Amino acid sequence: MGGTGQAMNTDDLASRLIAGERRALARAITLVESERADHRQQAGDLLKAVAGTGHQALRIGLSGTPGVGKSTFIESFGTMLTGQGVRVAVLAVDPSSTRSGGSILGDKTRMERLSREPNAFIRPSPSRTQLGGVARRTREAITLCEAAQYDVVLIETVGVGQSETMVSEMSDLFALLMAPAGGDELQGVKRGIMEMADMILVNKADGDLVAAATRTCADYSGAVRLLRKRAQDPEGFPKVMMVSALLQDGLGAVWDDMLNLLAWRKANGHWEKQRARQARHWFEQEVRHGLLGVLKTPEVQARMAELGAKVAGGTLLASDGARQLLDGLKKP
Amino acid sequence: MGGTGQAMNTDDLASRLIAGERRALARAITLVESERADHRQQAGDLLKAVAGTGHQALRIGLSGTPGVGKSTFIESFGTMLTGQGVRVAVLAVDPSSTRSGGSILGDKTRMERLSREPNAFIRPSPSRTQLGGVARRTREAITLCEAAQYDVVLIETVGVGQSETMVSEMSDLFALLMAPAGGDELQGVKRGIMEMADMILVNKADGDLVAAATRTCADYSGAVRLLRKRAQDPEGFPKVMMVSALLQDGLGAVWDDMLNLLAWRKANGHWEKQRARQARHWFEQEVRHGLLGVLKTPEVQARMAELGAKVAGGTLLASDGARQLLDGLKKP
């Protein structure tokens, strides 16, 4: 991000990004990922500069535990879309990379075919960031992808829990990828995840696993019917389907259903309402994030270290120490 | 929590809890789970009242994705321990219950045998709480279980990601339960999770799955050897073992290894250092939590709603709205 004339750089970056230049998009995302104060300022300028483009993508959240074939699915699904002239951006959100560099085998060999497509843009998860930071970076990256004229932004995450809630809060629709499994394992799927999902895709419906996939599909269909009907769902949603990412089977049907769901929600005002609700949610998150910034001054950090040492030594209760620190903040 | 004379109630509750009365412990945990200001005050008093007992439990974090047999493991492992006169408390941390009531089939039928043991105490995850609140509640519940003379506090969580980090930050040792799987799926295990785990237990090493479990065990042993050696690990740790919770196979060895690990860490000062580091970490979390409390006043809530509506309507950028709100806070 070096060079002179920051404002000019930002404007230049914005126009190259809007023109759909992939390298500009990559650089812009690097900028929004930075925590440096001057970069935050530039990122703000950039986001304002691209705010007017009006291009909106379909934001698809995709989750699934390790081993269900997410990379293969994104590779096949993304390549199908780019083959139809749809421009696809993939953003990964990996909460476990807060601790280390991500999955053991790394991301480099993932989605090789898709990454070679000129209409595709793939961005791995930034590492060593707090989940709060990841959320902001991902939202801003989505905005940048939209400004860069991508038609689909696929936000990929892993696992069960917090990161899925986060991704569903920035997506227009949320798909959960599942593996075929014994009937016993259904009980392990949390209602919260099921309630988030607009589509449950039972992957690996190929070879030896077709029977298991069919059974799993039936199990989830049954479970989904037990859930309370949501206002934002047309008849037949949440939908449970079988796919084989490996054989590229069922992916056209998934896409058709996504477009149908989107059209229905747009026609019925749900899409707009959901985006507004999400914007409000993330605004409130920004407020919280900003408020916590007061703890980052050297004085407060020093005081925190001092009280923290007492807590660690067992001579001060954590709650009492926290009260002492916060009382100190109130007197400027 | 009704009745008159709050201070007296807290003292009474504290002494009944220290005497090991299960109902008092349950009531105390309900108290620390409450967000009501008077309850928070009472909870603080209670925690102070029990702080002097000095009884310390072995805090074991246990994680695993749905379907790996966590409930069966806790049932078998816990019953084995209570059979040896060890007093066992089980606390569940379920991040997905922030959205709804938890797993579809519910918790009632889980761990039936263990729940009938007089030396066991089982507490399901509180629902509809923020992960931050869950963390505080769980830490305080651990303290209460220790004061109530439990020897082992098993903190159970699910999935991949944030909640595991949280649980590992309040545990003396962290065990990861895995299912037998094909070699391909190893790549899906995030290094972050592996780095947290002191023990990887490959469950379901029974019946048809023995061969798969043996292979999985070898795969993880290989993967674990690739990780950087941690100062807090004796030779042979992190350890990968096969167990069958169903057949109660290998659980004695797991317990022996846990005790050996604990003894080694205590002898080498790691246990104490880790607890101190954790205390400091949670103190800092308390500070953050307390700071965010200023957003809860009616005035700030009203201002937030007003700016949030503008953000949702698209006439204000989230970051600009956040800055306006925060600037307002600074002028009292």
Side-chain angles (χ1 to χ4, degrees):
Chain A
M1 300 303 135
T4 55
Q6 300 187 346
M8 194 192 69
N9 271 349
T10 308
D11 282 349
D12 177 53
L13 192 57
S15 29
R16 288 195 291 122
L17 185 145
I18 293 167
E21 213 184 280
R22 276 204 291 195
R23 221 185 314 168
L25 176 57
R27 206 175 145 195
I29 294 180
T30 303
L31 186 63
V32 301
E33 280 172 3
S34 171
E35 294 285 337
R36 260 176 55 181
D38 57 332
H39 289 171
R40 286 308 309 154
Q41 177 66 48
Q42 287 177 299
D45 292 345
L46 181 67
L47 288 165
K48 253 173 240 166
V50 302
T53 57
H55 183 74
Q56 275 167 332
L58 169 56
R59 304 171 184 173
I60 304 172
L62 178 74
S63 182
T65 46
V68 301
K70 274 198 304 301
S71 299
T72 312
F73 178 83
I74 296 171
E75 170 93 329
S76 295
F77 188 68
T79 312
M80 179 191 75
L81 293 181
T82 55
Q84 297 174 15
V86 176
R87 302 190 74 220
V88 179
V90 180
L91 302 171
V93 173
D94 178 359
S96 66
S97 73
T98 56
R99 187 126 173 177
S100 72
S103 60
I104 286 178
L105 295 189
D107 277 338
K108 280 178 192 161
T109 58
R110 295 174 63 210
M111 305 183 249
E112 244 184 289
R113 228 170 356 122
L114 185 59
S115 62
R116 280 195 306 267
E117 289 289 331
N119 277 337
F121 175 84
I122 300 177
R123 182 80 178 193
S125 190
S127 55
R128 301 179 186 280
T129 327
Q130 295 245 318
L131 195 60
V134 173
R136 185 166 68 179
R137 163 265 175 194
T138 309
R139 278 182 299 117
E140 293 179 346
I142 291 170
T143 306
L144 295 172
C145 291
E146 291 193 324
Q149 317 293 315
Y150 283 88
D151 305 304
V152 166
V153 181
L154 228 160
I155 311 122
E156 175 203 3
T157 190
V158 74
V160 177
Q162 206 72 352
S163 74
E164 276 162 325
T165 308
M166 186 189 95
V167 168
S168 84
E169 282 293 345
M170 44 182 79
S171 303
D172 296 320
L173 62 87
F174 191 74
L176 182 61
L177 206 65
M178 306 288 301
D184 276 7
E185 298 179 33
L186 183 59
Q187 63 173 299
V189 179
K190 300 293 171 176
R191 177 176 264 170
I193 307 295
M194 298 278 269
E195 280 176 358
M196 265 178 232
D198 296 304
M199 300 178 82
I200 293 177
L201 309 176
V202 180
N203 191 24
K204 302 190 182 179
D206 44 47
D208 290 352
L209 290 171
V210 170
T214 308
R215 203 175 51 232
T216 303
C217 196
D219 287 348
Y220 286 119
S221 300
V224 155
R225 276 195 300 272
L226 294 175
L227 297 175
R228 184 168 36 82
K229 178 114 178 88
R230 304 177 302 180
Q232 71 270 33
D233 287 335
E235 199 52 42
F237 282 87
K239 188 159 261 182
V240 184
M241 314 171 72
M242 280 197 283
V243 296
S244 165
L246 193 68
L247 305 181
Q248 297 160 50
D249 231 23
L251 303 181
V254 169
W255 180 234
D256 287 346
D257 277 326
M258 285 178 171
L259 292 180
N260 288 338
L261 179 60
L262 182 72
W264 189 88
R265 285 196 181 152
K266 283 197 166 175
N268 289 276
H270 293 297
W271 178 85
E272 208 174 3
K273 248 185 253 171
Q274 181 169 313
R275 286 232 168 161
R277 191 184 52 69
Q278 290 177 346
R280 215 154 34 224
H281 170 79
W282 291 116
F283 155 69
E284 291 172 12
Q285 290 290 94
E286 287 263 355
V287 169
R288 284 187 276 269
H289 192 89
L291 184 58
L292 292 175
V294 307
L295 298 178
K296 289 184 183 159
T297 67
E299 299 75 36
V300 176
Q301 287 288 307
R303 177 79 175 134
M304 201 129 130
E306 181 197 326
L307 291 168
K310 287 188 191 167
V311 171
T315 60
L316 181 66
L317 278 181
S319 48
D320 290 344
R323 205 166 305 124
Q324 285 180 31
L325 189 120
L326 292 172
D327 286 348
L329 286 184
K330 276 169 204 150
K331 291 168 225 138
Chain B
M1 300 300 137
T4 55
Q6 301 186 345
M8 195 190 70
N9 270 348
T10 309
D11 282 349
D12 179 51
L13 191 58
S15 29
R16 289 196 290 121
L17 184 145
I18 292 167
E21 214 184 278
R22 275 204 290 193
R23 222 186 314 170
L25 177 57
R27 206 176 147 195
I29 294 179
T30 303
L31 186 62
V32 300
E33 280 172 4
S34 171
E35 294 285 338
R36 261 178 53 183
D38 56 332
H39 288 171
R40 285 307 311 154
Q41 176 67 49
Q42 287 176 298
D45 293 345
L46 181 67
L47 288 165
K48 254 174 240 166
V50 303
T53 55
H55 183 75
Q56 275 166 331
L58 170 56
R59 304 171 184 173
I60 304 172
L62 178 74
S63 182
T65 46
V68 299
K70 275 196 305 299
S71 300
T72 312
F73 178 84
I74 296 172
E75 171 94 328
S76 294
F77 188 68
T79 312
M80 179 190 77
L81 293 181
T82 55
Q84 297 173 14
V86 177
R87 302 190 74 219
V88 179
V90 180
L91 302 171
V93 173
D94 178 358
S96 65
S97 73
T98 54
R99 187 129 173 173
S100 73
S103 60
I104 286 180
L105 295 187
D107 277 338
K108 279 180 193 158
T109 57
R110 293 175 64 209
M111 304 181 248
E112 245 185 288
R113 229 172 353 125
L114 184 60
S115 63
R116 282 195 305 267
E117 290 289 330
N119 277 340
F121 174 84
I122 300 177
R123 182 79 177 194
S125 191
S127 53
R128 299 179 188 283
T129 326
Q130 295 244 320
L131 194 59
V134 173
R136 185 166 70 182
R137 163 265 176 197
T138 308
R139 278 182 298 118
E140 294 179 347
I142 291 171
T143 305
L144 295 172
C145 290
E146 290 192 326
Q149 317 293 314
Y150 283 87
D151 305 305
V152 166
V153 181
L154 227 160
I155 310 123
E156 174 203 3
T157 191
V158 76
V160 178
Q162 207 71 353
S163 73
E164 278 164 324
T165 308
M166 186 188 97
V167 168
S168 83
E169 281 292 345
M170 46 182 78
S171 303
D172 297 320
L173 62 88
F174 191 74
L176 182 62
L177 207 64
M178 306 289 299
D184 276 5
E185 298 180 32
L186 182 60
Q187 63 173 297
V189 178
K190 300 293 171 179
R191 176 176 264 171
I193 306 295
M194 297 276 271
E195 280 177 358
M196 265 178 233
D198 297 304
M199 300 177 82
I200 293 177
L201 309 176
V202 180
N203 191 24
K204 302 191 183 179
D206 45 45
D208 289 351
L209 291 173
V210 170
T214 307
R215 201 174 50 233
T216 303
C217 198
D219 287 347
Y220 286 118
S221 301
V224 155
R225 275 194 300 271
L226 294 175
L227 297 176
R228 184 169 36 82
K229 177 115 179 90
R230 304 178 302 181
Q232 70 270 33
D233 288 335
E235 200 49 45
F237 281 88
K239 189 158 259 182
V240 184
M241 315 173 71
M242 280 197 283
V243 297
S244 165
L246 193 69
L247 304 180
Q248 296 160 48
D249 232 23
L251 304 181
V254 169
W255 179 234
D256 287 344
D257 277 326
M258 285 178 170
L259 292 180
N260 288 339
L261 180 60
L262 182 72
W264 188 88
R265 285 195 180 154
K266 283 198 167 176
N268 289 276
H270 293 297
W271 177 86
E272 206 173 7
K273 249 186 253 171
Q274 180 167 314
R275 284 231 168 162
R277 191 185 50 72
Q278 290 177 345
R280 216 154 33 221
H281 171 79
W282 292 116
F283 154 69
E284 292 172 10
Q285 290 290 93
E286 286 264 356
V287 169
R288 284 186 276 271
H289 193 90
L291 184 58
L292 293 174
V294 308
L295 299 178
K296 289 185 182 157
T297 66
E299 300 75 35
V300 176
Q301 287 288 305
R303 177 79 176 135
M304 199 128 131
E306 182 196 324
L307 291 168
K310 287 187 192 168
V311 171
T315 61
L316 181 67
L317 277 181
S319 49
D320 290 344
R323 203 165 309 125
Q324 286 181 33
L325 189 120
L326 293 172
D327 286 346
L329 287 183
K330 277 169 205 153
K331 292 167 224 139

